Amino acid sequence: MSTIATIPKIRDALRATFRSGLTHSIPWRQHQLYQLARMAQNERELICDALQKDLGKPKTEVLANELGSVIKRALKSAERLPEWVKAEHPEVIDRQKPWNPTIYKAPKGTVLIISPWNFPMMLSFQPLTGAIAAGCTVVLKPSELVPTFSQLLEEIVPKYLDPNAYRVVNGAIPETTKLLELQWDHIFYTGNGKVARIVASAAAKHLTPMTLELGGKSPVIIDSAYDIDLAAKRILWGKCHNAGQICVAPDYVLVQRDKQDELVRAFQKHYNAFFPKGALDSLSFGSIVSDSHYKRLTSLLSRTKGETVLKGRADAARKRLELTIVKDVAGGDSLLEEELFGPILPIVPVDSLDQAVDFVNARSHPLVLYAFSDNESVKQRLVSQTHSGGIVFNDTFQQLAVSELPFTGVGESGYGYQFMKYTYDTFTQLRSSIDMPKEAEANLAVRYLPHSEEAVKALTSAVYTPIPPSRL
């Protein structure tokens, strides 16, 4: 059990391990990745039980969306690691080829990962997988809002991963504050913008590089020509994961005004199909993480000026809240104030695609923009005229299954890349190198003082490079 007093000692021990060179071995890194996969596989029942206790999270959801992803990406990373670590030799002009220009891949060092409560298994071990692959030593700080799970990690991680290289530090604000007082070679934070500013300010004192994965209000735009029933089904499926408590959950829907009621009917139809007896007691629907989050969500609902068209039942004692859908939501409504991060779905009617685009662009850049359209010109317009971490057409949530795509935010939704090689790259320093041969000395003579007129002409020739005409 770590304490505030022991946190600096833990960091120093990990730094000593890194300097020893233990983590530089590729077979050693692969073994740690295999061990990570074994931990997720062997301890799955304990992990599922912990997340059920902390979050009411359905077992199938944990197995499919958290444990499965961790195992798959750990194994793929181990398999591809020998290729990732190879030094690269960029294409250069002929006279520079004898210099052997090289890009070496070096681990950044000792890093800090601060993970959130909503998908605690995946969002703890997704960045850890990349850090292991890169050859870093790591402190993992899981969320205090999932105490059963976080305590479990402190118990099982040392059984599988080398404790000289990887440590779990539990605690709340005091422990996190102490961690942030220390210098790290990279900090990877997943959470909300308010805390991210605190983390970024602490990192700035040491000029520590960071990755921030922050979420935000991810909108859905529905083209009026698209199949409304299918759009509703796919949006609802994405919204119901972890009771809407995920950074890529559809946050609000923009739909043509004359299609709004059709969309509402489709939502009602598919909700009844997903949860014939409602979601309040369903084992397939998660709970709200804490009393404070529950009160925040019910407060937002109490202040909306929109019309509730699917009213979810609530059980405060169990922190259970069914999906609530609200139509005719206008700008400035309580449901548009902040990222909802819960089972609430506002519908914002618009009169045109132009209005939908303007509505999205008038707000902070989202983590993902969802759009339902079969029209290629509409798709390309959204790609070129909006700004978001990712853009997904004709589905929700499923983009997370594609490990080869970079996952990132922009602006208020965060920065930095992750998933597979992108996570490896996050924790890797690219070291540029040349190795000048003695035989190049004749060609280098022109650089030495004093400079003759011919030498000056050669050294400044780039200034006089012909510039082609623009073709606008």
Side-chain angles (χ1 to χ4, degrees):
M1 180 72 179
S2 55
T3 64
I4 291 176
T6 61
I7 286 173
K9 297 176 182 177
I10 291 171
R11 194 283 309 266
D12 292 346
L14 292 175
R15 181 154 285 167
T17 296
F18 179 76
R19 289 172 177 165
S20 76
L22 175 69
T23 65
H24 290 193
S25 162
I26 305 308
W28 186 90
R29 297 185 208 177
Q30 289 174 312
H31 172 66
Q32 298 301 314
L33 291 167
Y34 291 142
Q35 285 293 94
L36 177 56
R38 290 183 184 105
M39 184 189 75
Q41 193 173 77
N42 295 348
E43 309 295 347
R44 60 188 181 275
E45 294 300 329
L46 288 176
I47 293 167
C48 286
D49 289 347
L51 292 180
Q52 170 61 36
K53 183 174 181 181
D54 287 337
L55 293 171
K57 185 168 278 201
K59 183 175 182 178
T60 299
E61 192 173 294
V62 176
L63 292 172
N65 297 334
E66 300 220 52
L67 289 165
S69 295
V70 168
I71 293 168
K72 179 178 71 173
R73 287 173 182 159
L75 296 178
K76 280 188 176 181
S77 295
E79 176 188 349
R80 298 175 186 178
L81 185 56
E83 187 63 32
W84 294 348
V85 301
K86 286 181 180 178
E88 296 179 12
H89 300 280
E91 280 297 317
V92 296
I93 58 177
D94 286 345
R95 70 179 180 85
Q96 293 178 347
K97 289 180 179 177
W99 305 356
N100 191 30
T102 303
I103 303 170
Y104 293 104
K105 315 289 181 65
K108 283 188 175 179
T110 300
V111 304
L112 172 63
I113 296 172
I114 304 175
S115 61
W117 54 263
N118 60 325
F119 275 72
M121 184 70 191
M122 180 176 71
L123 296 178
S124 295
F125 293 102
Q126 162 65 30
L128 181 61
T129 296
I132 292 172
C136 295
T137 55
V138 183
V139 162
L140 172 62
K141 168 60 180 71
S143 173
E144 65 273 20
L145 294 180
V146 281
T148 311
F149 174 79
S150 296
Q151 183 56 43
L152 177 64
L153 288 193
E154 192 167 352
E155 294 168 5
I156 65 175
V157 166
K159 296 179 181 178
Y160 290 87
L161 302 183
D162 190 331
N164 293 309
Y166 312 107
R167 295 288 297 272
V168 175
V169 172
N170 275 319
I173 292 175
E175 289 77 13
T176 304
T177 300
K178 174 56 69 174
L179 286 167
L180 292 174
E181 288 175 0
L182 304 175
Q183 190 273 333
W184 303 90
D185 298 304
H186 193 96
I187 297 175
F188 194 114
Y189 170 78
T190 303
N192 63 66
K194 180 180 178 181
V195 176
R197 285 171 168 80
I198 297 171
V199 176
S201 295
K205 294 177 181 177
H206 299 287
L207 299 180
T208 299
M210 290 194 67
T211 300
L212 297 177
E213 198 279 274
L214 305 180
K217 294 185 75 64
S218 294
V220 183
I221 295 176
I222 303 179
D223 181 353
S224 60
Y226 192 79
D227 183 333
I228 297 295
D229 185 77
L230 181 60
K233 185 180 183 180
R234 292 180 175 181
I235 294 167
L236 192 67
W237 175 78
K239 184 66 175 181
C240 287
H241 278 83
N242 200 32
Q245 298 169 113
I246 181 170
C247 57
V248 295
D251 194 275
Y252 62 95
V253 181
L254 295 155
V255 66
Q256 196 90 1
R257 197 174 303 276
D258 61 0
K259 294 286 185 177
Q260 181 178 219
D261 288 339
E262 182 183 350
L263 179 65
V264 167
R265 289 191 296 271
F267 277 139
Q268 291 168 335
K269 166 190 165 184
H270 291 297
Y271 179 79
N272 290 333
F274 288 179
F275 306 102
K277 297 180 180 179
L280 195 66
D281 299 310
S282 173
L283 296 178
S284 299
F285 198 78
S287 301
I288 306 305
V289 66
S290 67
D291 290 329
S292 62
H293 280 274
Y294 181 91
K295 291 174 182 176
R296 178 184 64 84
L297 291 167
T298 53
S299 172
L300 292 173
L301 282 172
S302 71
R303 293 186 289 113
T304 182
K305 303 300 182 183
E307 179 186 345
T308 300
V309 291
L310 180 67
K311 184 171 180 57
R313 295 174 295 167
D315 183 340
R318 295 188 294 152
K319 300 189 293 291
R320 302 286 292 177
L321 190 62
E322 291 183 320
L323 180 68
T324 294
I325 298 178
V326 183
K327 77 170 190 175
D328 287 326
V329 174
D333 192 88
S334 63
L335 301 185
L336 298 177
E337 289 175 356
E338 61 185 56
E339 182 180 9
L340 292 172
F341 223 71
I344 303 171
L345 187 60
I347 302 174
V348 180
V350 293
D351 296 314
S352 65
L353 180 62
D354 285 343
Q355 189 179 352
V357 170
D358 289 344
F359 193 94
V360 171
N361 287 340
R363 287 154 178 80
S364 297
H365 302 318
L367 185 58
V368 58
L369 168 63
Y370 295 111
F372 287 81
S373 178
D374 289 324
N375 188 317
E376 288 303 317
S377 64
V378 169
K379 294 178 185 179
Q380 289 308 308
R381 182 180 173 192
L382 292 173
V383 168
S384 64
Q385 295 185 7
T386 63
H387 203 33
S388 59
I391 185 165
V392 173
F393 295 107
N394 303 326
D395 205 2
T396 62
F397 190 79
Q398 196 65 40
Q399 72 273 18
L400 300 182
V402 186
S403 299
E404 290 71 25
L405 286 174
F407 183 78
T408 183
V410 59
E412 286 286 323
S413 56
Y415 52 78
Y417 299 90
Q418 62 171 314
F419 280 13
M420 295 295 293
K421 187 176 184 297
Y422 298 100
T423 322
Y424 166 84
D425 290 341
T426 288
F427 292 106
T428 297
Q429 174 67 36
L430 300 181
R431 300 185 70 187
S432 299
S433 173
I434 63 170
D435 184 357
M436 189 66 71
K438 294 177 180 177
E439 294 75 16
E441 189 62 19
N443 292 328
L444 298 176
V446 69
R447 70 186 184 179
Y448 298 119
L449 296 172
H451 292 144
S452 66
E453 184 176 336
E454 183 179 352
V456 169
K457 186 176 180 181
L459 290 169
T460 63
S461 61
V463 175
Y464 307 101
T465 304
I467 300 173
S470 302
R471 297 178 181 179
L472 297 178

